[in-house]
């Protein structure tokens, strides 16, 4: 026995389960990127809409590369439990919005056909920053072409990844896949499809054995796909939809629909994601396993508070940034969220360009201090050694892992040369920071402190300054 449609009715009354008929209708949403985040965020929003009686929000979920996850979800009829845990308590819920599943690499035609299905109204994406490839643009365009050729209406295609202007970038990616023969398709796309920008926020760690054991205890049956998340969630989306009536529907489910996604987007990228990356690198180097074990250290907590208050906030247009900052620090300390520092440090080379340089450049323009970002950059250099301060080796899970480790390999004997080499990379820092002598000097200074005295001593020294 395991969690499935047949065992759903036998779950304890304390577990919230779908109150609607699943799979009585065809899915209305195709979602690309069937990882933990989507299943504990948008899938739960769509579950709310389905619970309210709107049958058009069932999901055809697409695993981009992971047949193992899709196989596990298929074996459980698309069902999985989510533990929602924070200072207010712990609840368990089984969302029921995931109705069909495919794997993009092995079932591409099924994905194209799903995008082209008459019942499909939305395509959503959480494929991460590195997933915006020509192959993704071609996949979407092929599905949209079939829709246009069948005389079907356009749809909303919503990127929900941590990319600034993600809707614009996704639209450009799809159009780039077009050929000279696609003029009519592109005119249809511009007239009938919508690519709204959006910002999504919820901390969803990768599932652990502890979560799976807790799920079995709560449900009374095994669940190989269980997740744990926090009570907080936010989805801010641009008021740009193929069906304008969707705005009010989403708002009824708790989504913020606005014409100003940018202010929320930049605050999340630079405050939450920027400090997350800094803490993840510190945790990896010091041997602390989780974000909660980092923010629980007083000098790291002070560092994060100062980073956000002094160097990030002055350049944000989100007016409630102080409340957002305090909420973030509380969320980082949630003991139920065993959010691995190595999971967050994954793909740092793809994430840092959006998270750190804008704040550093803003501080430079104002003649203000950027010491916290300089120390974070110094810890990044130290991280490329691939071994923590206790002598434990770790892998860099990053598309640029080989080149980063090559640049940082000699940092114990030639520290300044290694710092300069890493700071010279325009793919990480943009075009102006690699030539800024004050930036290079401060990163070099903090790297020297990190190498000689360790991360904790360097962070403590800055936090007390």
């Amino acid at each position: 026995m395991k969690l499935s449609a047949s065992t759903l009715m036998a779950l304890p009354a304390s577990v919230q389960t779908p109150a609607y008929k699943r799979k009585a209708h065809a899915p209305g949403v195709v979602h690309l990127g069937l990882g933990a985040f989507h299943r504990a965020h948008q899938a739960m929003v769509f579950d709310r809409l389905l619970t309210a009686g709107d049958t058009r929000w069932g999901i055809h979920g697409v695993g981009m590369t992971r047949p193992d996850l899709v196989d596990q979800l298929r074996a459980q009829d698309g069902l999985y439990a989510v533990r929602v845990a924070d200072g207010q308590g712990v609840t368990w819920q089984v969302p029921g919005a995931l109705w069909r599943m495919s794997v993009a690499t092995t079932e591409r035609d099924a994905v194209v056909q799903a995008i082209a299905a008459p019942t499909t109204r939305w395509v959503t994406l959480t494929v991460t920053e590195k997933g915006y490839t020509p192959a993704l643009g071609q996949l979407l365009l092929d599905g949209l072409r079939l829709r246009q050729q069948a005389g079907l209406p356009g749809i909303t295609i919503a990127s929900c990844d941590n990319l600034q202007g993600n809707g614009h970038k996704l639209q450009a990616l799809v159009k780039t896949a077009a050929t000279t023969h696609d003029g009519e398709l592109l005119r249809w796309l511009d007239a009938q499809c919508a690519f709204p920008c959006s910002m999504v926020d919820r901390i969803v760690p990768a599932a652990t054995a502890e979560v799976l054991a807790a799920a079995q205890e709560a449900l009374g049956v095994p669940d190989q796909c269980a997740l744990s998340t926090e009570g907080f969630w936010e989805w801010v989306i641009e008021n740009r939809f193929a069906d304008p009536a969707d705005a009010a529907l989403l708002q009824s489910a708790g989504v913020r629909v606005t014409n100003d996604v940018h202010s929320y987007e930049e605050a999340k990228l630079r405050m939450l994601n920027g400090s997350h990356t800094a803490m993840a690198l510190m945790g990896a180097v010091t041997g602390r396993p989780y974000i909660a074990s980092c923010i629980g250290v007083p000098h790291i907590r002070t560092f994060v508070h100062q980073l956000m208050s002094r160097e990030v906030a002055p350049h944000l247009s989100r007016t409630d940034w102080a409340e957002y900052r305090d909420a973030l620090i509380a969320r980082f300390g949630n003991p139920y969220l065993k959010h691995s520092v190595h999971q967050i440090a994954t793909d740092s080379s793809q994430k840092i360009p959006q998270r750190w340089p804008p704040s550093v450049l803003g501080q430079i323009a104002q003649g203000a201090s950027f010491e916290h970002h300089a120390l974070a950059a110094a810890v990044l250099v130290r991280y490329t050694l691939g071994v923590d301060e206790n002598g434990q080796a770790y892998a860099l899970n990053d598309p640029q892992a080989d080149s980063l480790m090559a640049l940082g390999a000699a940092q114990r004997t030639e520290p300044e040369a290694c710092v300069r080499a890493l700071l010279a990379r325009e793919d990480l820092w943009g075009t102006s920071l690699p030539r800024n002598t004050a930036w290079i000097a401060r990163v070099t200074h903090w790297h020297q402190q990190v190498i000689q005295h360790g991360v904790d001593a360097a962070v403590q020294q800055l936090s007390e300054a």
Side-chain angles (χ1 to χ4, degrees):
M1 299 288 283
K2 61 188 168 200
L3 179 62
S4 66
S6 61
T7 58
L8 198 56
M9 297 299 292
L11 297 185
S14 58
V15 179
Q16 185 180 332
T17 56
Y20 48 86
K21 286 186 177 178
R22 300 179 68 241
K23 308 187 184 181
H25 304 269
V29 179
V30 175
H31 180 80
L32 308 181
L34 199 52
F37 180 81
H38 167 73
R39 289 183 288 127
H41 189 278
Q42 283 142 323
M44 296 180 78
V45 175
F46 296 146
D47 178 77
R48 286 187 181 198
L49 292 167
L50 289 162
T51 299
D54 191 334
T55 59
R56 301 173 299 168
W57 298 94
I59 302 166
H60 185 139
V62 180
M64 301 307 287
T65 57
R66 285 191 55 192
D68 57 331
L69 174 62
V70 170
D71 289 343
Q72 286 178 332
L73 285 164
R74 277 178 174 153
Q76 297 186 179
D77 300 315
L79 295 169
Y80 56 93
V82 180
R83 180 178 69 184
V84 181
D86 55 22
Q88 278 66 57
V90 179
T91 59
W92 284 90
Q93 179 178 349
V94 177
L98 187 57
W99 294 353
R100 293 183 192 167
M101 287 133 278
S102 298
V103 182
T105 48
T106 57
E107 300 169 297
R108 186 182 189 278
D109 188 58
V111 179
V112 170
Q113 295 293 337
I115 295 169
T119 52
T120 296
R121 309 173 65 253
W122 277 57
V123 173
T124 53
L125 298 91
T126 49
V127 295
T128 77
E129 291 89 338
K130 67 181 178 182
Y132 287 75
T133 62
L136 174 67
Q138 192 66 59
L139 177 73
L140 288 165
L141 190 71
D142 288 351
L144 293 169
R145 182 185 288 109
L146 290 184
R147 292 191 72 83
Q148 183 256 335
Q149 289 173 347
L152 292 169
I155 56 175
T156 298
I157 304 124
S159 167
C160 302
D161 285 302
N162 291 322
L163 290 164
Q164 285 194 294
N166 49 22
H168 306 308
K169 287 175 178 165
L170 182 59
Q171 185 172 17
L173 185 71
V174 171
K175 286 186 167 186
T176 301
T179 69
T180 53
H181 304 296
D182 284 326
E184 190 177 342
L185 170 61
L186 290 176
R187 284 188 290 275
W188 173 86
L189 191 114
D190 286 336
Q192 295 206 31
C193 291
F195 291 82
C197 294
S198 75
M199 184 281 284
V200 289
D201 186 0
R202 191 173 218 181
I203 297 173
V204 187
T208 62
E210 180 267 329
V211 172
L212 299 186
Q216 179 156 355
E217 186 175 341
L219 304 178
V221 292
D223 174 6
Q224 294 304 308
C225 305
L227 299 170
S228 180
T229 190
E230 59 180 338
F232 178 95
W233 69 274
E234 193 170 36
W235 185 2
V236 181
I237 190 163
E238 185 180 9
N239 192 3
R240 185 191 301 270
F241 305 107
D243 181 352
D246 287 346
L249 279 173
L250 289 171
Q251 286 174 317
S252 74
V255 178
R256 189 189 301 256
V257 179
T258 177
N259 293 318
D260 178 30
V261 174
H262 179 72
S263 63
Y264 296 93
E265 186 179 67
E266 67 179 5
K268 194 235 175 177
L269 278 169
R270 300 183 200 176
M271 291 187 89
L272 190 161
N273 299 129
S275 56
H276 238 181
T277 295
M279 275 190 290
L281 297 171
M282 289 176 183
V285 172
T286 59
R288 293 184 176 98
Y290 306 117
I291 287 296
S293 40
C294 294
I295 202 74
V297 177
H299 56 263
I300 295 180
R301 187 186 184 96
T302 300
F303 171 91
V304 170
H305 190 281
Q306 291 175 348
L307 173 82
M308 292 195 278
S309 305
R310 298 179 184 179
E311 299 182 20
V312 179
H315 315 289
L316 298 178
S317 51
R318 181 167 179 166
T319 54
D320 64 343
W321 66 263
E323 294 91 334
Y324 186 56
R325 173 202 62 204
D326 294 346
L328 285 176
I329 289 175
R331 292 166 62 196
F332 292 154
N334 187 335
Y336 291 97
L337 296 184
K338 293 189 167 24
H339 209 176
S340 161
V341 295
H342 288 287
Q343 180 194 351
I344 296 163
T346 296
D347 301 336
S348 286
S349 69
Q350 313 290 295
K351 298 170 177 175
I352 284 172
Q354 301 177 76
R355 299 180 179 189
W356 293 353
S359 299
V360 179
L361 292 169
Q363 292 293 89
I364 290 170
Q366 293 182 358
S369 167
F370 46 76
E371 294 293 297
H372 293 76
H373 281 91
L375 175 51
V379 178
L380 170 68
V381 180
R382 169 62 182 80
Y383 171 72
T384 64
L385 278 176
V387 60
D388 69 21
E389 293 175 347
N390 306 313
Q392 291 292 314
Y394 53 78
L396 270 66
N397 188 355
D398 193 291
Q400 299 293 328
D402 292 344
S403 65
L404 291 172
M405 292 184 78
L407 290 175
Q411 62 185 278
R412 294 194 191 280
T413 53
E414 301 175 53
E416 290 192 29
C418 287
V419 171
R420 285 183 173 275
L422 206 66
L423 294 186
R425 289 187 56 149
E426 293 188 358
D427 61 327
L428 277 172
W429 309 107
T431 55
S432 61
L433 278 182
R435 295 192 295 274
N436 188 286
T437 54
W439 165 249
I440 294 168
R442 296 317 295 163
V443 178
T444 302
H445 163 79
W446 285 115
H447 180 257
Q448 186 178 30
Q449 298 300 310
V450 166
I451 289 292
Q452 290 181 357
H453 306 295
V455 167
D456 281 333
V459 173
Q460 199 153 8
Q461 181 186 337
L462 177 56
S463 298
E464 293 171 355

